[in-house]
Amino acid sequence: MTPDQILSSLGLDDVNPGGFSGEWMASGEVLEIHSPVDGSRIGAVRQVTADEYDAIVDRAHAAFLRWRTLPGPQRGEIVRQLGNRLREKKDALGGLVTLEMGKIFAEGKGEVQEMIDICDFAVGLSRQLYGLTVASERQDHHMREQWHPLGVVGIISAFNFPVAVWSWNAARAAVCGDACVWKPSERTPLTAVAVTKIAAEVCRENGVDPAIFSLAVGDGPNIGERMIHDRRIPLVSATGSTRMGRRVGEVVNGRLGRTILELGGNNAIIVTPHANLDLTLPAILFGSVGTAGQRCTSTRRIIVHASMKDELVERLVRAYQDVPIGDPLEDGTLMGPLLNEDAVQALMDAKARVVAAGGTILCGGERLEGDDYPGGCYVTPCIALAKNDWDIVQHETFAPILY
């Protein structure tokens, strides 16, 4: 599918309102979205204002009051249909993920498959909303446990998994009887608009208020801060950096709200003398190069036994040099571009800090230029020799650098 075909099949316009609570709204500033694939403009989303955000949450709460009265299996049926609609839109939505944030098409489709899988999982849960019956010490009495929906759940998602994170939260919240307000990353709002359109369509077909899947596109200092302070939202699920998570936790816990935090990582693989390198190498490569190193689950560090080091390094450098880099929509590409120039600069800065600390760059970490690499966001994946206790190694760099 071409970019135009992807956008039109998902019902996206040139400029799209970024607020939804049964009806579309937005009168704030416009976010112009350029693809990291080639730097081209792919569309725009108008952000919501503070007043519009407040109206969205009010409408979501009103929808929640009706939604919670439906039996769990009926709520599960709506989520089942949502999963099926995502199946129909898998290629288009996966392509939009690739266009907007740069991961290869196979990963974009894989992310949509995660949405489908969690919908299937949530459908099963909708018939398992059990509670305990407990023996009582009082004659002719018994006690029972009954779980009640929380209300409106706030979902703050990151650019690197622009649609899957929403589904992990929204599908399960929906079967539990909750409504959601989604604040996506302002770097990837088009995918959020597309997903919300799909969810709203399914709701309307079933006579359900689509405000149970509400949307509020806006930046962190305005809409994000407003959401985490909002006492109408008893639970905030936030995905992003550790710094962001600390802020969310402090504010939401300070008002005795609840949080689900999925934050940064700095993951290591330990290679022992008994390791099978034929299995180890592809595991390291996928873990470190997948999504161009822009995952909280990316492999960042290799801690290897001295007896295995030389062979592992030699084979790993060779494998890195063979990684196919280029257009993420093309078959055969293993690594696409980074999100933007800031991400490229973060890689360059990390390299410089490694060298300044006394480390060695074994391969990669270079900008790629020319006709095959438009947009300025393509790099080669980097391997560096470094000590585990160095500050740069102990802090996550959201780029394809492996220590």
Side-chain angles (χ1 to χ4, degrees):
M1 301 176 73
T2 67
D4 286 344
Q5 289 172 331
I6 289 171
L7 296 168
S8 63
S9 68
L10 294 170
L12 294 173
D13 299 318
D14 183 60
V15 179
N16 303 270
F20 180 81
S21 58
E23 300 294 335
W24 289 95
M25 67 179 78
S27 59
E29 295 182 3
V30 173
L31 290 170
E32 297 284 349
I33 308 303
H34 293 81
S35 174
V37 176
D38 58 8
S40 65
R41 180 187 179 279
I42 54 175
V45 175
R46 187 175 292 279
Q47 301 176 84
V48 299
T49 64
D51 287 344
E52 286 165 341
Y53 163 83
D54 286 338
I56 287 168
V57 177
D58 281 343
R59 278 284 291 111
H61 187 264
F64 154 72
L65 294 176
R66 294 185 294 274
W67 177 246
R68 68 178 178 177
T69 65
L70 268 65
Q74 290 186 30
R75 299 193 297 257
E77 171 60 18
I78 306 302
V79 174
R80 185 190 70 81
Q81 292 181 37
L82 174 60
N84 285 342
R85 193 61 49 85
L86 290 168
R87 284 182 173 90
E88 296 170 9
K89 300 288 187 178
K90 180 177 176 179
D91 283 357
L93 190 54
L96 182 58
V97 170
T98 295
L99 279 177
E100 196 167 32
M101 69 76 55
K103 65 174 61 174
I104 61 174
F105 188 36
E107 287 188 88
K109 291 190 294 183
E111 184 172 344
V112 180
Q113 186 61 49
E114 289 190 40
M115 303 176 77
I116 295 165
D117 293 343
I118 203 67
C119 285
D120 290 347
F121 177 63
V123 172
L125 292 181
S126 72
R127 294 179 179 271
Q128 300 178 62
L129 302 176
Y130 307 139
L132 298 174
T133 298
V134 184
S136 172
E137 63 185 19
R138 299 181 65 187
Q139 184 73 27
D140 299 325
H141 284 72
H142 75 276
M143 296 182 291
R144 68 176 184 178
E145 177 186 69
Q146 186 176 22
W147 294 86
H148 294 272
L150 281 174
V152 178
V153 175
I155 301 172
I156 300 174
S157 61
F159 78 87
N160 56 335
F161 283 87
V163 294
V165 168
W166 172 83
S167 68
W168 299 341
N169 291 279
R172 288 179 287 182
V175 299
C176 290
D178 299 310
C180 297
V181 175
W182 181 13
K183 194 210 88 64
S185 168
E186 54 268 39
R187 298 167 180 171
T188 51
L190 285 172
T191 47
V193 172
V195 169
T196 301
K197 284 177 177 286
I198 293 170
E201 184 179 71
V202 172
C203 287
R204 289 195 175 102
E205 289 171 0
N206 287 274
V208 168
D209 189 341
I212 61 170
F213 298 120
S214 290
L215 176 70
V217 174
D219 63 20
N222 294 305
I223 302 306
E225 281 290 319
R226 202 168 188 84
M227 175 177 283
I228 64 177
H229 282 90
D230 196 337
R231 292 182 177 275
R232 296 171 296 175
I233 297 180
L235 170 65
V236 175
S237 177
T239 300
S241 68
T242 302
R243 179 184 59 81
M244 181 273 286
R246 286 196 183 98
R247 175 63 179 168
V248 173
E250 289 171 357
V251 173
V252 178
N253 293 333
R255 59 178 174 84
L256 299 183
R258 305 182 189 185
T259 57
I260 300 172
L261 302 177
E262 186 178 12
L263 310 177
N266 199 25
N267 309 292
I269 290 177
I270 299 173
V271 183
T272 71
H274 307 291
N276 181 338
L277 291 188
D278 290 336
L279 298 176
T280 303
L281 278 166
I284 293 174
L285 192 68
F286 174 77
S288 57
V289 173
T291 322
Q294 299 172 112
R295 296 190 298 228
C296 60
T297 55
S298 290
T299 302
R300 307 274 181 211
R301 299 174 294 148
I302 304 298
I303 300 172
V304 56
H305 192 274
S307 65
M308 305 288 282
K309 175 187 172 184
D310 290 344
E311 183 182 358
L312 177 65
V313 167
E314 179 185 349
R315 293 178 64 175
L316 198 55
V317 167
R318 191 161 59 242
Y320 261 53
Q321 291 171 338
D322 290 337
V323 170
I325 304 167
D327 186 342
L329 289 167
E330 294 291 331
D331 291 338
T333 299
L334 184 61
M335 191 177 104
L338 294 176
L339 176 70
N340 54 27
E341 172 59 30
D342 290 343
V344 175
Q345 191 57 50
L347 174 60
M348 300 304 152
D349 292 345
K351 277 179 54 186
R353 290 181 63 187
V354 168
V355 173
T360 304
I361 304 300
L362 297 177
C363 72
E366 297 129 356
R367 296 175 185 263
L368 291 172
E369 300 175 343
D371 294 342
D372 292 335
Y373 308 105
C377 295
Y378 292 88
V379 299
T380 55
C382 179
I383 302 175
L385 280 180
K387 293 183 178 180
N388 190 53
D389 61 351
W390 289 352
D391 185 69
I392 182 60
V393 178
Q394 287 298 309
H395 288 84
E396 179 184 43
T397 298
F398 227 54
I401 184 167
L402 180 68
Y403 304 109

